[in-house]
Amino acid sequence: MQRNYPKVVISKEGEEWLNKGQMWMYRNNAVNLDETIENGSVVDIVTTQGDYMGTGFVSMDSHITVRILSKNLNDVFDRAFFKQRIQFAYAFRKTLEAENLTNCRLIFGEADQLPGLTVDRYNDILVAQISSFGMDKIKDMLYEVLLEVLNEDGQDVKGIYERNDIKVRAKEGLPLEKGYWRQAQLPTKTVINENGLLLNVDVENGQKTGYFLDQKSNRVLLRKMAHGKRVMDCFTHTGGFALNAAYGQALEVVAVDVSQTALDQAYENAKLNHLEDRMSFVKADVFDYLDECESGRFDIIVLDPPAFTKSRRTIDHAYSGYKKINMKAMKLLGKGGYLITCSCSRFMEIDNFEKMLREAAHESGVTLKQVSVTQQNHDHPILWTMEETSYLKFYIFQII
């Protein structure tokens, strides 16, 4: 087949990375990059010997120079190609998220072979984020195909809200903006049903695309063990874990967060589920609050902090923060208590996180009995060839 795409020549080191399954080509691996290539266009990656390595969207401003769409020389990147990719991603959710299909991540970028595109669904609203110049250029076609695929399956979707206010877009030379695509009069708030709990979602102002969908299955793990227990949910945000504890008939639930706005939203979610009388809400810095708590008061402590690091440069600082807060929780829990602890930072890798937990336990004078180890919900799939798709670590331990 005749290839008319511009070529980007890759170094030997970059070639080794792509052979391992990596789907990003970095600028420092480019041996030859024609600066006159149109930003966001489709390019072929080739070795210095001319061997084909893959095809993807070029970004002339980003350190990620090419986000690879395919390593198949015969693929044609037309509407049918993208529809097939979207159908494949949707079929995955229908198989694994059948009970939560109206509130799930439909497309998870590279993990769904649609690099730079994230799409979440909240009832009849889709929320899209685009972090690739090339994807942004074809977004009208992508959105049309996405709605087509869902409508063909009888799904009721009324519009797409764009949350393109993420900082990474600036690195791609893209504007930061948000609002409805081709729709001006649709609401920006809705109420989802997550495993029996009603939750308010604000797609315009909420975190990420409106809500943290990646902890769905993990929150249910707490629900199942909360009966008759006294539970503290640290960094509760809008109350996800605390609500599940109360729903699971916990004896006491204390939700702690430094943000009054987050606590107000958590309280509204509690009222929505008639659980407000079973919960209390505390505005405090979690580190300080743990120092003030009486040892043995709680049977379960949940640590679900925001990412302590968003780059490798600050990993040591993050390690110290994670260790400090986990030690505080371990010392507070009496014998037989349960620690639920997690990290949403991609740069705090599993081996490092587990090393931190071992050190924290040793220095706290406790032993950790593992109950469960999971990661992000399965609508956020992980490619074993791309560590960038693996970010959430979730552990449950009994303290002995």
Side-chain angles (χ1 to χ4, degrees):
M1 183 178 69
Q2 184 68 32
R3 305 288 291 189
N4 296 315
Y5 301 131
K7 290 182 173 58
V8 176
V9 181
I10 196 170
S11 68
K12 186 66 177 179
E13 182 184 22
E15 181 183 344
E16 291 173 357
W17 274 108
L18 296 195
N19 279 330
K20 291 178 181 178
Q22 175 62 263
M23 301 301 285
W24 288 349
M25 196 211 95
Y26 295 101
R27 182 165 291 269
N28 59 354
N29 293 139
V31 174
N32 184 15
L33 174 63
D34 184 351
E35 296 295 335
T36 65
I37 296 175
E38 182 183 350
N39 201 7
S41 60
V42 175
V43 298
D44 282 339
I45 301 171
V46 298
T47 68
T48 52
Q49 288 78 38
D51 296 327
Y52 173 78
M53 296 296 295
T55 304
F57 289 125
V58 69
S59 176
M60 304 305 287
D61 296 329
S62 173
H63 178 58
I64 305 172
T65 302
V66 183
R67 294 175 186 257
I68 298 175
L69 285 165
S70 173
K71 294 182 179 180
N72 185 342
L73 192 59
N74 297 314
D75 276 337
V76 178
F77 305 100
D78 55 10
R79 191 179 191 279
F81 171 88
F82 288 101
K83 182 171 184 179
Q84 186 179 56
R85 286 281 168 92
I86 290 171
Q87 286 173 322
F88 194 74
Y90 179 58
F92 180 85
R93 275 70 183 181
K94 283 196 70 175
T95 300
L96 296 171
E97 285 284 277
E99 295 180 357
N100 281 307
L101 200 57
T102 58
N103 57 294
C104 72
R105 175 151 294 184
L106 293 176
I107 296 174
F108 186 39
E110 281 74 2
D112 287 307
Q113 297 178 294
L114 290 162
L117 176 65
T118 297
V119 180
D120 289 339
R121 180 181 179 184
Y122 303 107
N123 296 327
D124 56 4
I125 303 171
L126 301 184
V127 183
Q129 282 186 338
I130 295 179
S131 57
S132 156
F133 201 100
M135 280 291 189
D136 200 75
K137 285 180 66 175
I138 62 168
K139 73 174 186 179
D140 288 343
M141 180 268 287
L142 290 171
Y143 292 166
E144 289 166 1
V145 169
L146 185 58
L147 292 174
E148 183 180 299
V149 168
L150 292 170
N151 289 335
E152 287 173 351
D153 192 51
Q155 299 296 315
D156 179 25
V157 175
K158 292 186 171 61
I160 298 175
Y161 191 88
E162 294 188 281
R163 279 297 297 267
N164 287 331
D165 53 347
I166 47 176
K167 292 180 180 179
V168 70
R169 282 177 61 90
K171 296 178 180 179
E172 292 278 322
L174 293 168
L176 274 60
E177 55 195 8
K178 59 182 178 178
Y180 267 108
W181 172 74
R182 295 184 181 175
Q183 301 283 345
Q185 305 301 321
L186 293 173
T188 57
K189 295 181 180 179
T190 188
V191 177
I192 64 172
N193 185 316
E194 180 185 285
N195 299 312
L197 278 171
L198 300 177
L199 300 164
N200 290 292
V201 174
D202 182 346
V203 301
E204 180 180 14
N205 300 306
Q207 292 288 326
K208 302 294 184 180
T209 63
Y211 180 65
F212 292 101
L213 293 167
D214 53 4
Q215 291 271 32
K216 268 185 300 191
S217 51
N218 293 330
R219 286 189 277 260
V220 173
L221 295 177
L222 170 61
R223 181 193 301 185
K224 291 178 178 178
M225 60 189 288
H227 183 81
K229 302 290 194 300
R230 295 161 298 172
V231 180
M232 174 165 53
D233 178 21
C234 300
F235 311 97
T236 192
H237 190 49
T238 55
F241 282 102
L243 288 162
N244 273 274
Y247 193 75
Q249 301 296 308
L251 181 66
E252 177 188 8
V253 180
V254 178
V256 186
D257 203 285
V258 74
S259 166
Q260 187 60 52
T261 299
L263 290 173
D264 291 343
Q265 293 171 342
Y267 180 72
E268 289 303 315
N269 282 332
K271 285 178 61 178
L272 200 58
N273 293 278
H274 309 291
L275 295 171
E276 68 271 25
D277 294 337
R278 305 179 63 86
M279 303 170 65
S280 59
F281 302 86
V282 176
K283 182 181 184 298
D285 178 280
V286 170
F287 286 84
D288 295 338
Y289 187 74
L290 289 172
D291 285 335
E292 299 166 5
C293 286
E294 179 186 352
S295 179
R297 175 186 169 186
F298 293 99
D299 304 302
I300 302 174
I301 295 178
V302 181
L303 301 177
D304 183 23
F308 283 172
T309 178
K310 295 186 177 180
S311 74
R312 297 193 189 279
R313 293 190 301 274
T314 56
I315 194 66
D316 289 342
H317 178 74
Y319 189 99
S320 176
Y322 283 117
K323 182 177 176 180
K324 183 178 180 181
I325 200 167
N326 276 276
M327 286 182 67
K328 289 177 183 289
M330 289 174 188
K331 291 176 180 178
L332 274 180
L333 287 164
K335 181 180 178 181
Y338 293 88
L339 172 65
I340 296 178
T341 184
C342 46
S343 167
C344 61
S345 172
R346 175 173 73 82
F347 298 100
M348 188 66 177
E349 295 172 347
I350 291 173
D351 289 347
N352 213 23
F353 193 69
E354 291 187 351
K355 177 175 178 287
M356 175 277 299
L357 288 170
R358 288 190 178 94
E359 288 181 3
H362 177 73
E363 293 177 29
S364 300
V366 303
T367 297
L368 300 178
K369 181 195 290 185
Q370 179 181 306
V371 177
S372 177
V373 178
T374 56
Q375 291 187 259
Q376 61 244 38
N377 197 66
H378 34 56
D379 55 357
H380 295 59
I382 296 168
L383 287 185
W384 274 34
T385 53
M386 271 200 81
E387 64 180 24
E388 291 83 1
T389 61
S390 173
Y391 66 94
L392 183 64
K393 294 142 297 273
F394 185 90
Y395 293 76
I396 302 178
F397 299 104
Q398 186 181 43
I399 303 297
I400 61 173

